[in-house]
Amino acid sequence: MEEIEISTISGNNPHASVIIRNACKRYSPSAVILNGLNLTVPEGTIYGLLGPSGCGKTTLLNCVVGRTYLDAGSIQLRVKKRSEVGYMPQTLNLHDQMTILENFFFYGYLFGMSNENIQARAIDLMAFLDLPSGHRFVNTLSGGQQRRVSIAVAFIHDPKILILDEPTVGLDPVLSRSIWDRLLEMTKKGKSIIITTHYIQEARQANTIGLMRGGVLLAEESPITLMEKHGCADLEEAFLLLSHKQETQSKDMNLVYPKSSRPVKTYFEDDNKTFSRKKFRGIMYKNLTLLKREYIFMVFVVILPILQTYLFNTAIGRKPKNLHLAVVNDEISTSDCSYSAYTGCFLDENQTVALSCLYMEFLQNETYTLVEYYNDTTALMDVRKNKVWGLLHFTENYTRSLAHRVAGGVNVNAEDITYSNLNTWIDLSNQYIGNFIRYDIVRSMISFLKQALKNCQENPKIGTLPLSFEQPIFGSFDENFISYASTAILCLCCFFFPSILTGGLVLTEKLGGMMERMMVAGATMIEMMTSIVLIQMVVHIIQTTLVMILMYLVFDNPMEGSLFTLSVLMFITGISGMFFGFMLAVINTDMTITAYSGIGTNIVLCFTSGLVWPIEAEHYLLRSVSWIFPLTWTVDAARGICSKSYSFLHPFVLRGFGSTIAWNLIFIYVIYFFMKYKKDMWNIQK
């Protein structure tokens, strides 16, 4: 859709401040809000816009100040800059965690005012509007006091055009009268004021009133002229008469909503300036003030990734301990096992050695608790009852049969083969625990055979598989799951936590209307994004530093490569998370949906990007597209740095950096696209 620039008022009507012609706006084919509306605001006057709720008053004002756009029509303003317009929305749209003075200074900075000027205007407005102490927080004020603060914010920069949406709702009649008197004084200085109100008789104080109903203007006259023209004693009677006349005429008229693909959006001269240091200062002032106020939340933000990292390193990937295993030993009672029972040579016929005792000692060294049973039936019953994780059964002639098997080689008989086997039954319903038990049973068997052969002064390799694992090229024999997953958890923390914080902050201001009011005051998305990114970068650096200290110094996870290269990669990953969170806040208009989107993304990345399980084990269809997800190549690069000492110039590391930067650009483009083509994206309809 093409944007049409709003033109300034030409010589055709030099005494008008605002001219609107043939304004059309709808939110759906059945919800027409403005239908060919025409309106003229004379310079230096108060224009009272009257009409029932839902007639389009607020939408019309939103179009004038640029909160939303017209589908067709034209708008002309005498002023050229946003700083020449003062705007008070119907909803207060104030930062309630800031004090009255802090709100004044924030908006004053947005309008380019100096500290001295803001202070002087604040003193004047607080006295005029009978506001409490400037150090009171907005959320501690009554509804009427908050509305007066909102009026003061609209007045703070002494604008040429004031647009006030229901400013006197809920105010004391005396104070309302005082506000009207002040507005009349301002018109004597050339100010033009558009004010909407529900109080029809109150509008008699306006120089001109526009009666609005059903998206059109029924009349536009001075109050006295309007009443005399229609022979009415008051404005309410005149409005009822015009409404009835409109109702009668509409039956004979077939209004056709114009078709237009060229939306009309208010465009001020200073909208060309995408970045202003003065406005940026104001936004930074606001953000830092709110962060200082929310110190408990900020402590939580810093501690949460540390807590997650600590819990991960202490709860995930470690070997289970103190598992109970049932033992049925027909060779010797467990209580009779002693050091002398297995120190002799089991190949010597004269020795009374019980190798089952030696094996059980090796198994106990793996932190297993062995529970003695006297028959398989009882033991297997307890395995089924989950009292023990498995059963080991040593036959009556276990040691002697094993000796014959070792000494006899290929000539060993079938009976010795049968009786030299250690029979095991394991509960494999839990694959992790079951596989740990299987691994330890096999490893203990190899170790115990080596020791038994050493006791006989035989070559211990006789008891091992004809297979030799040399020193690993990368990693070590002691690597476990935590070594594999720790880097992935670091990447996920660096991406996920900044996205949550950024999305939450932006969406809170968007839903609260503060974002709209800031943009009407001239704040640009570049300024707001830069401010958030700078603050988030500081928070992210603190989070990442503490997490990496915990991960690599406290818990001693593998770190073979450059810590600096890894830190830079994590920093860029955090920036990517920030832009992702900003994108969610731009697209969504509901906090719950945004939270679900963030959490759902976290789960998807865990499952599809090789964070908790190798990509090589995924379904081939998923594996073919897994590379496209934001963290897949980033995690590969981080693992290469940590476990394989890859340098920055290694293809895997370069690919990780490239992928992360590419996703940053994608998120930025999506944000830009929605901002450019969704004209009223910040105008939340309530």
Side-chain angles (χ1 to χ4, degrees), residues 632-658:
T632 303
W633 284 350
T634 305
V635 171
D636 270 355
R639 285 197 179 115
I641 295 169
C642 294
S643 302
K644 302 180 181 181
S645 192
Y646 284 168
S647 69
F648 173 76
L649 296 178
H650 192 281
F652 267 48
V653 179
L654 288 175
R655 188 177 68 176
F657 274 94

Side-chain angles (χ1 to χ4, degrees), residues 486-496 498 536-537 540-541 543-545 547-548 551-552 559 562-578 631 633-639 641-642 653 656-657 660 664:
S486 59
T487 308
I489 292 298
L490 176 63
C491 293
L492 192 62
C493 286
C494 289
F495 181 85
F496 186 57
Q536 276 282 61
M537 281 196 299
H540 175 56
I541 289 171
Q543 287 177 323
T544 305
T545 301
V547 167
M548 291 180 73
M551 191 78 78
Y552 298 112
M559 172 47 72
S562 168
L563 191 60
F564 175 77
T565 304
L566 180 65
S567 300
V568 174
L569 180 60
M570 293 302 99
F571 177 77
I572 299 175
T573 302
I575 299 296
S576 182
M578 294 177 207
L631 293 183
W633 284 350
T634 305
V635 171
D636 270 355
R639 285 197 179 115
I641 295 169
C642 294
V653 179
F657 274 94
T660 307
N664 278 332

